[in-house]
Amino acid sequence: MRIEPKLKKPQRFNILDAPIRIRKAVKKINPDSVLVFNKFYGTLTLLGLVGLNYPVYISERASPFYRFPLIIELFNNMVFLFVNPSGVIAQTEFAARCQRRFYKTGTPIRVINNPLREIEVFELLRKPIVLGVGRLADHLKGFDLLVEAWAHVKNKSWKLVLTGSRQENTKLAELAGKMNLHERIEFIGRVNDIDRLYAEAGMIVIPSRSEGFPNAMVEAMAAGLPVISFNFQAGPEEILVNNHNGILVENGNTEKLAEKIDLLIENKEERVRLGKNAKEIRIRLDRNKICREFLNFILPEGSFF
């Protein structure tokens, strides 16, 4: 069961009122376990359930390098001095290692990847498109690095297509203009039918500086789209086997990224091979499998099979 508080003023989140609301809601439901997404909401829940015998599990979603505002960091650390979750779910092995510094020794930390949503498959001819998907204005997503790399790509017959909010692409458009790339880059705004775009593109590039888990990468892989990704933390090296189901590039190396893009542009057989192998991600991240991993971790032993 999922409950979202109905706040009279949604923009004003009361840090003192939230634990009380949570305590009332949990006591009313009387669940076997409580699963909370995000460390901050985890501390609010732990505080609200002090004295009650409910196991609380925190699922960490953000990049391991994400930092809350100082006041929230201090609040989290203070709460963890006195109460600790029953377990923590990290999205990657790297994230799990990073999370251990926040929790008491002995707190179970389980690595469970994100489940893959159902990807609609289209039988379409692939176009000479290098695709970029995500929040264009988010510094951690690294689209400025992709634009810089695109300036080094030697083959001029393909187009770089970036999808994301049109309000977010101003700085990228300015950067593209400075590099005389306007004719080779297309900003198409938000796309409702992203699966069709995965089926039409020739490859996808993941230029992030850091992520919690690269969802666009695994979605594209499930659609059979060859992937080139910076080897950022966290996720790519735990998902991609270099030159088997994708290509890993030294993090931040835009010239090497351009070189690998050119390599795939010139080699259709390699694009087809990588895309075919990429589909294996459907089995690994099958949502039923991932759900079972969650339930087996957070529910009392023997209550779920």
Side-chain angles (χ1 to χ4, degrees):
M1 178 179 290
R2 171 181 173 271
I3 292 181
E4 184 173 349
K6 295 181 180 180
L7 304 178
K8 294 181 180 178
K9 296 181 179 180
Q11 72 277 15
R12 298 179 64 181
F13 185 80
N14 191 324
I15 196 173
L16 298 177
D17 181 56
I20 297 173
R21 287 174 173 266
I22 292 169
R23 188 180 185 91
K24 289 181 179 178
V26 172
K27 288 179 70 176
K28 183 177 180 180
I29 300 168
N30 192 30
D32 293 317
S33 296
V34 178
L35 176 63
V36 189
F37 293 85
N38 179 296
K39 185 182 280 87
F40 174 53
Y41 296 131
T43 54
L44 291 175
T45 301
L46 288 167
L47 196 59
L49 300 184
V50 166
L52 302 180
N53 192 29
Y54 292 111
V56 176
Y57 295 84
I58 298 176
S59 178
E60 293 283 5
R61 316 304 299 168
S63 161
F65 299 114
Y66 175 78
R67 291 292 174 266
F68 288 100
L70 181 59
I71 187 65
I72 301 299
E73 288 279 1
L74 293 174
F75 175 76
N76 289 342
N77 291 335
M78 181 185 68
V79 171
F80 288 139
L81 286 175
F82 301 99
V83 288
N84 224 44
S86 301
V88 175
I89 297 171
Q91 297 175 104
T92 63
E93 294 287 351
F94 178 84
R97 294 194 295 273
C98 292
Q99 295 302 338
R100 293 192 188 282
R101 68 179 182 272
F102 289 101
Y103 302 102
K104 294 178 181 177
T105 301
T107 300
I109 298 181
R110 180 75 57 84
V111 177
I112 304 178
N113 296 151
N114 281 2
L116 178 68
R117 67 172 177 82
E118 186 173 349
I119 304 296
E120 187 173 0
V121 177
F122 297 88
E123 296 297 330
L124 303 173
L125 291 176
R126 294 201 176 273
K127 300 177 181 179
I129 289 173
V130 174
L131 183 63
V133 177
R135 297 186 300 276
L136 300 182
D138 188 338
H139 177 72
L140 290 179
K141 292 295 184 181
F143 287 107
D144 57 318
L145 299 177
L146 179 52
V147 171
E148 291 176 15
W150 194 241
H152 295 294
V153 171
K154 296 176 181 178
N155 188 302
K156 311 301 182 185
S157 64
W158 282 46
K159 179 167 284 190
L160 174 61
V161 173
L162 300 178
T163 174
S165 171
R166 292 188 184 278
Q167 289 72 35
E168 293 182 328
N169 67 23
T170 304
K171 290 185 178 180
L172 286 180
E174 291 176 357
L175 179 60
K178 290 178 182 178
M179 295 183 169
N180 296 316
L181 296 173
H182 273 314
E183 294 184 359
R184 298 177 54 213
I185 299 179
E186 183 177 359
F187 297 91
I188 62 173
R190 293 192 184 278
V191 175
N192 294 325
D193 197 358
I194 189 65
D195 291 353
R196 179 176 288 275
L197 194 54
Y198 288 147
E200 290 179 340
M203 73 180 82
I204 189 170
V205 175
I206 310 295
S208 301
R209 291 178 169 90
S210 177
E211 291 196 26
F213 190 84
N215 291 305
M217 174 192 289
V218 297
E219 289 178 2
M221 292 173 69
L225 191 57
V227 175
I228 302 176
S229 175
F230 279 142
N231 192 15
F232 57 84
Q233 300 293 355
E237 68 179 358
E238 297 180 33
I239 297 169
L240 296 180
V241 177
N242 194 29
N243 296 318
H244 170 69
N245 58 356
I247 295 177
L248 289 170
V249 176
E250 178 187 3
N251 197 17
N253 190 331
T254 55
E255 291 188 6
K256 181 62 71 172
L257 179 60
E259 178 184 314
K260 296 301 183 182
I261 292 173
D262 269 320
L263 176 69
L264 284 195
I265 287 177
E266 300 295 338
N267 193 334
K268 180 179 179 180
E269 289 184 359
E270 183 68 357
R271 296 200 306 272
V272 171
R273 184 185 71 85
L274 292 174
K276 180 179 179 180
N277 292 339
K279 290 182 180 180
E280 297 167 359
I281 200 69
R282 288 174 170 268
I283 299 173
R284 175 178 169 183
L285 299 184
D286 175 76
R287 57 185 175 178
N288 292 320
K289 171 180 172 292
I290 299 298
C291 284
R292 285 194 296 271
E293 291 181 21
F294 265 86
L295 293 174
N296 282 327
F297 184 56
I298 70 173
L299 291 182
E301 187 175 354
S303 64
F304 178 77
F305 302 94

